[in-house]
Amino acid sequence: MRPRLRAWAELLRLPALCTVPGDVLAGAAAAAARPGRRTLLAVGASVCLYEAGMALNDWADRAEDAVDRPHRPLPSGRVSPAAALTAAGALTAAGLGLAARAGRPALTVAAPLAATVWAYDLALKHTPAGPAAMAAARALDVLLGAAATAGRTRAALPSAALLGTHTLAVTTVSRTETRGGAPLAPLAALAATTWLSRTLTRPPAARGDAASRGLPGPTPTTAPGPARHAGASAARWADPLVPALTTLYAATAARPYTHAALNPSPPLTQRAVGAGIRATVPLQAALAARCGARSGALLIAALAPLGARLAKRVSIT
């Protein structure tokens, strides 16, 4: 990789980009809508807004990185602060433009998403509200997929909440990745991973209808009777793809969280953060499969090997 391209790949955290399209696809699946042109536009908008946040993050943290991460592109002089800020602005404009082309409902979600990204990087990151703001951004990204594809977001709220919970846990752990800290954050993240896994794999017969409990699940297009609805829910839950993807999600995150809890040193904490980011992909895929979008789930899951390969060349955190 050429030095200049590598510098920008590090600035934009290229491997983490593989965690982005799954938000939109999971949102579309939750809305029980077939992905189309507007879904692709929403994916483009999501990618642009995510990368805008990455560039803005390093611009805002350039003084801190000069002390804690002097190898990063800005403090090392490989990318200028002005170039990073310009990229953040251009990517934000591009993201909002793509969202506008996807329709008014998509733009209605993309605008607060962009505002949340900028607020997090410029004001909220180092405050107690930081993890919640990051979780809100991820949740809005899921709603963007539903809004662009189906023109509505209500059905995607449970999936958005679950992905937001995962993001909240990862972001909380990341706040001490350069200096280490107490084991409480990785322990909480491990508990969140366990709860999310149980929620996704709990059969409808044990928890009732998915819609009635506010959990992601198949949404009927007609108004069938209770028996038919329960049968459809059970049939889709019985798809082995759901527990397989959920197991992959738990396996990706649980062990690094455990190691960081036992020894919250910077290297193990950074490893836990990276694992939490990578675990986003199988979680997105599990949510899509849980809503009956098997093809979408497989497409999302296919991004995991690509992200792992890129992570060997460019740090994901």
Side-chain angles (χ1 to χ4, degrees), residues 18 21-23 25-26 280-285 288 295-305:
C18 294
D23 288 343
L25 294 176
T280 303
V281 176
L283 175 57
Q284 294 163 335
S295 297
L298 292 173
L299 179 60
I300 296 170
L303 294 172

Side-chain angles (χ1 to χ4, degrees), residues 20 39 71 97 102 138 142 165 173 192-193 205 237 266 291 303:
V20 179
T39 310
H71 61 280
R138 182 69 74 170
V142 176
T165 299
V173 176
T193 300
W237 179 86
C291 293
L303 294 172

Side-chain angles (χ1 to χ4, degrees), residues 138-176:
R138 182 69 74 170
L140 285 168
D141 209 26
V142 176
L143 298 182
L144 175 61
T149 308
R152 56 187 184 273
T153 60
R154 184 175 179 179
L157 287 173
S159 291
L162 294 181
L163 270 172
T165 299
H166 169 72
T167 304
L168 178 67
V170 177
T171 308
T172 301
V173 176
S174 73
R175 290 165 75 87
T176 59

